[in-house]
């Protein structure tokens, strides 16, 4: 249409349209919308007596699915190949796709920016082959484009025209549709830009800048998946916030969320597969599924935590954590020399400590001396979940088991002692009974006894009083 306007001597495409009796506001045709398929040009073309134009771009654009595919497809400003315009006298619609960096025929970068003024090329220019009336006709780029830029353009052109792809394309892109492939490319571009604290906004970039971004993505895709792992691990040095591992978790959660949302896109799904593998290999537990609900992905609870946080959860000193690791009670997540820990492990360990007795807690509840309790533990009548050794300072006594032992002793006790003299516990000790022998004899029924049913000290040994020898002894 621009060509028609120019060759018929109109100064602006709008004048042509007005001449044809078609009033367009401000003489501006919504060219971007026309290309994107949001605007139906057909009635205007019929009014101008032009053959109905079948918009391939519109067709391609409509295959893109909202929220699943990339929203970026068509440039905001036109791109042109000066050689082609000179040779054939018209522009090709393919040039206006973002990833078309070069002219496939001439192997040169497409032009969208005035080399001197930096002004972007306009849809509404007067001449097809000039930026504006002040500057001369477009000068083609003097050298050929970088090889990757050419390959990418050939690849995209083949996808656009449903032709077989002749160029060497990274394996990860094999058999993908344009929308899937471009989504994958933009996904990587976004997270690459993210690494530099930037965002990938292709519509605001000029062709050379865009080419730089796409080339970097292409390199990653060529060395897939190692290069992707390297990209992900770079986030470790670039946490999303200053809160150490918290920032890292945020990165991964953000990545996970986007991958999850777009996983119906085959291209994104391929990234997701590799992302899942990476997390499992290097950061197991970082995305604890119990904590990671689809609704509340921004929750502040993280599963991967620092050593200090573990110490706080367990109420212990930092050195203790190294010992717990040696005992394989905590599995550190080692990456680039930094150890992180899993919150769920620390919490379940803390729960074990909470739900059981330390040595002094046990002595207090059982009303035994440390020496007596130690004897019962050694004899296996009471159970220790943890014994002091070179790696532990503290005992952890199985509280539930201990309580069960006392309960069964209480059940065996009699209401009243039989007539005759009963012995005190101290008297039995004097007779040479150890605490172990005493308990064994009580359990075996060789000693009869009464209980005071002391509800203030329900697990105390002191509730057992008045012993006597039974017939079994
Ligand atoms: Zn060309």
């Amino acid at each position: 249409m621009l060509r028609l306007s120019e060759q018929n001597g109109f100064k602006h495409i709008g004048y042509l349209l007005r001449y044809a009796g078609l009033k367009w506001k401000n003489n501006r045709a919504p060219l971007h919308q026309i290309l994107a398929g949001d605007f139906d040009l057909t009635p205007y073309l019929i009014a101008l007596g032009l053959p109905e134009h079948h918009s391939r771009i519109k067709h391609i654009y409509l295959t893109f699915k909202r929220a699943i595919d990339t929203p970026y497809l068509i440039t905001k400003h036109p791109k042109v190949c000066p050689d082609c315009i000179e040779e054939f006298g018209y522009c090709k619609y393919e040039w206006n796709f973002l990833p078309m960096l070069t002219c496939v025929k001439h192997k040169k970068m497409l032009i969208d920016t005035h080399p001197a003024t930096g002004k972007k090329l306009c849809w509404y220019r007067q001449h097809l082959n000039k930026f504006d009336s002040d500057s001369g006709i477009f000068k083609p780029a003097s050298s050929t484009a970088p090889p990757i830029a050419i390959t990418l353009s050939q690849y995209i052109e083949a996808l656009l025209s449903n032709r077989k792809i002749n160029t060497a394309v990274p394996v990860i892109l094999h058999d993908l549709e344009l929308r899937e492939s471009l989504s994958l490319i933009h996904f990587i571009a976004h997270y690459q830009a993210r690494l530099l604290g930037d965002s990938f906004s292709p519509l605001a970039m000029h062709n050379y800048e865009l080419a730089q971004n796409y080339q970097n993505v292409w390199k990653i895709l060529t060395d897939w998946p190692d290069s992707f792992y390297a990209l992900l691990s770079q986030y470790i040095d670039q946490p999303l916030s200053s809160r150490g591992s918290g920032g890292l978790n945020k990165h991964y959660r953000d990545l996970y969320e986007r991958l999850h949302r777009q996983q119906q896109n085959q291209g994104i799904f391929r990234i997701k597969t590799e992302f899942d593998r990476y997390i499992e290999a290097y950061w197991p537990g970082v995305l604890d599924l119990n904590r990671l609900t689809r609704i509340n992905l921004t929750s502040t609870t993280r599963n991967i935590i620092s050593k200090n946080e573990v110490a706080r959860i367990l109420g212990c000193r930092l050195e203790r954590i190294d010992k717990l690791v040696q005992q394989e009670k905590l599995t550190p997540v080692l990456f680039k020399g930094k150890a992180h820990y899993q919150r769920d492990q620390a919490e379940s360990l803390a729960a074990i400590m909470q739900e059981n007795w330390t040595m002094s807690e046990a002595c207090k509840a059982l009303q035994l001396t440390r020496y007596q309790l130690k004897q019962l533990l050694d004899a296996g009548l009471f159970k220790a979940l943890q014994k002091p050794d070179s790696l532990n300072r503290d005992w952890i006594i199985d509280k539930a088991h201990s309580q069960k032992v006392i309960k069964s002793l209480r059940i065996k006790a009699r209401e009243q002692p039989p007539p005759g003299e009963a012995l005190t516990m101290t008297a039995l000790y004097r007779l040479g009974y150890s605490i172990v022998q005493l308990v064994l004899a009580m359990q075996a029924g060789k000693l009869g006894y009464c209980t005071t049913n002391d509800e203030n000290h329900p697990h105390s040994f002191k509730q057992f009083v008045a012993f006597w020898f039974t017939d079994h002894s």
Side-chain angles (χ1 to χ4, degrees):
M1 202 180 273
L2 199 61
R3 186 160 52 119
L4 184 75
S5 160
E6 187 185 1
Q7 287 182 356
N8 282 287
F10 290 98
K11 224 179 149 191
H12 191 282
I13 180 169
Y15 296 131
L16 165 73
L17 295 170
R18 196 173 290 170
Y19 176 78
L22 308 166
K23 279 184 190 143
W24 235 322
K25 227 178 169 184
N26 307 329
N27 290 337
R28 290 170 87 87
L31 286 181
H32 187 260
Q33 286 95 312
I34 292 169
L35 286 170
D38 291 340
F39 192 93
D40 192 4
L41 198 60
T42 318
Y44 297 95
L45 292 170
I46 291 168
L48 281 169
L50 292 169
E52 196 179 327
H53 173 74
H54 173 71
S55 172
R56 261 197 65 67
I57 298 188
K58 179 176 175 176
H59 171 73
I60 292 159
Y61 209 76
L62 290 178
T63 63
F64 277 61
K65 294 175 190 156
R66 207 171 282 271
I68 291 170
D69 300 329
T70 176
Y72 308 119
L73 176 66
I74 295 163
T75 53
K76 212 168 159 191
H77 292 266
K79 296 197 263 191
V80 294
C81 170
D83 294 293
C84 280
I85 293 180
E86 208 192 311
E87 220 170 295
F88 308 109
Y90 61 88
C91 297
K92 289 183 177 170
Y93 77 91
E94 291 95 335
W95 295 340
N96 299 307
F97 286 98
L98 285 164
M100 287 298 285
L101 302 168
T102 69
C103 165
V104 174
K105 184 175 163 63
H106 295 100
K107 298 196 169 30
K108 285 179 186 173
M109 292 294 286
L110 295 173
I111 287 173
D112 65 345
T113 311
H114 194 289
T117 63
K119 241 178 91 179
K120 288 256 185 108
L121 189 58
C122 181
W123 296 108
Y124 314 111
R125 62 191 187 273
Q126 191 183 347
H127 303 283
L128 200 59
N129 59 354
K130 286 180 186 176
F131 272 94
D132 47 53
S133 44
D134 301 334
S135 42
I137 57 167
F138 297 134
K139 282 195 200 74
S142 51
S143 54
T144 50
I148 291 178
I150 297 171
T151 309
L152 175 63
S153 305
Q154 287 169 335
Y155 166 64
I156 298 293
E157 204 216 16
L159 284 178
L160 285 171
S161 53
N162 288 323
R163 273 191 295 104
K164 216 176 157 295
I165 293 145
N166 298 317
T167 42
V169 169
V171 179
I172 186 171
L173 296 177
H174 285 187
D175 306 320
L176 289 181
E177 284 177 42
L178 175 68
R179 59 177 191 87
E180 296 168 331
S181 178
L182 199 57
S183 302
L184 185 156
I185 290 169
H186 286 173
F187 192 96
I188 300 291
H190 175 74
Y191 281 94
Q192 237 172 8
R194 200 67 185 267
L195 210 49
L196 307 169
D198 246 348
S199 66
F200 177 65
S201 32
L203 295 183
M205 291 177 181
H206 54 74
N207 201 36
Y208 277 88
E209 200 182 342
L210 200 56
Q212 202 53 53
N213 279 272
Y214 281 137
Q215 286 180 83
N216 291 339
V217 173
W218 198 260
K219 281 175 204 156
I220 287 198
L221 300 183
T222 309
D223 297 326
W224 194 267
D226 296 9
S227 51
F228 181 54
Y229 282 30
L231 173 74
L232 288 175
S233 56
Q234 282 183 65
Y235 279 113
I236 293 167
D237 303 323
Q238 315 281 340
L240 204 60
S241 76
S242 53
R243 288 175 46 218
S245 65
L248 182 64
N249 278 276
K250 247 167 119 183
H251 264 313
Y252 289 147
R253 211 173 286 162
D254 178 69
L255 262 155
Y256 175 86
E257 192 190 355
R258 274 204 52 186
L259 287 166
H260 187 89
R261 237 192 283 137
Q262 291 181 268
Q263 64 181 331
Q264 282 171 296
N265 178 305
Q266 186 55 32
I268 301 296
F269 184 76
R270 288 181 190 184
I271 303 178
K272 187 175 184 297
T273 309
E274 223 42 72
F275 177 77
D276 290 346
R277 263 188 217 137
Y278 171 85
I279 291 296
E280 199 176 318
Y282 297 106
W283 292 94
V286 75
L287 296 170
D288 178 6
L289 290 178
N290 296 323
R291 295 173 185 280
L292 194 84
T293 61
R294 290 282 308 122
I295 307 135
N296 188 15
L297 279 158
T298 50
S299 132
T300 50
T301 54
R302 294 169 286 111
N303 199 37
I304 292 291
I305 53 175
S306 69
K307 199 174 186 177
N308 280 318
E309 282 175 280
V310 180
R312 198 179 44 73
I313 289 170
L314 294 175
C316 65
R317 292 183 304 159
L318 289 175
E319 302 86 79
R320 175 89 189 102
I321 294 163
D322 298 332
K323 289 177 179 164
L324 287 168
V325 169
Q326 273 178 278
Q327 290 173 292
E328 295 175 358
K329 286 182 179 169
L330 284 178
T331 320
V333 184
L334 278 171
F335 204 75
K336 283 199 167 177
K338 282 180 206 161
H340 296 268
Y341 302 85
Q342 296 171 47
R343 182 193 295 270
D344 50 3
Q345 273 191 347
E347 281 178 349
S348 72
L349 212 55
I352 289 173
M353 287 163 65
Q354 199 108 57
E355 285 158 15
N356 290 286
W357 280 329
T358 62
M359 182 57 109
S360 57
E361 281 169 345
C363 290
K364 202 174 159 202
L366 299 167
Q367 296 198 304
L368 290 174
T369 65
R370 209 180 156 87
Y371 176 73
Q372 286 173 319
L373 180 54
K374 179 85 176 8
Q375 282 184 306
L376 288 170
L377 287 164
D378 286 344
L381 292 169
F382 283 74
K383 279 190 195 162
L385 297 174
Q386 177 182 291
K387 289 180 183 180
D389 55 28
S390 59
L391 299 173
N392 294 310
R393 275 189 333 161
D394 305 313
W395 287 86
I396 297 177
I397 316 260
D398 190 331
K399 183 174 167 184
H401 178 260
S402 309
Q403 290 177 340
K404 224 169 89 185
V405 172
I406 301 294
K407 199 179 164 197
S408 79
L409 289 176
R410 279 174 67 148
I411 290 166
K412 285 193 166 87
R414 283 215 355 214
E415 288 284 316
Q416 295 291 323
E421 204 186 332
L423 298 161
T424 62
M425 200 181 268
T426 319
L428 283 167
Y429 290 149
R430 270 195 221 114
L431 288 172
Y433 271 82
S434 70
I435 183 81
V436 174
Q437 286 167 322
L438 184 79
V439 172
L440 286 172
M442 285 164 81
Q443 284 177 334
K446 291 177 181 175
L447 272 177
Y449 54 93
C450 296
T451 173
T452 59
N453 283 321
D454 182 353
E455 291 310 323
N456 291 326
H457 302 94
H459 303 109
S460 166
F461 265 90
K462 291 193 173 155
Q463 70 185 302
F464 302 116
V465 291
F467 295 85
W468 62 92
F469 296 102
T470 62
D471 297 340
H472 305 289
S473 54

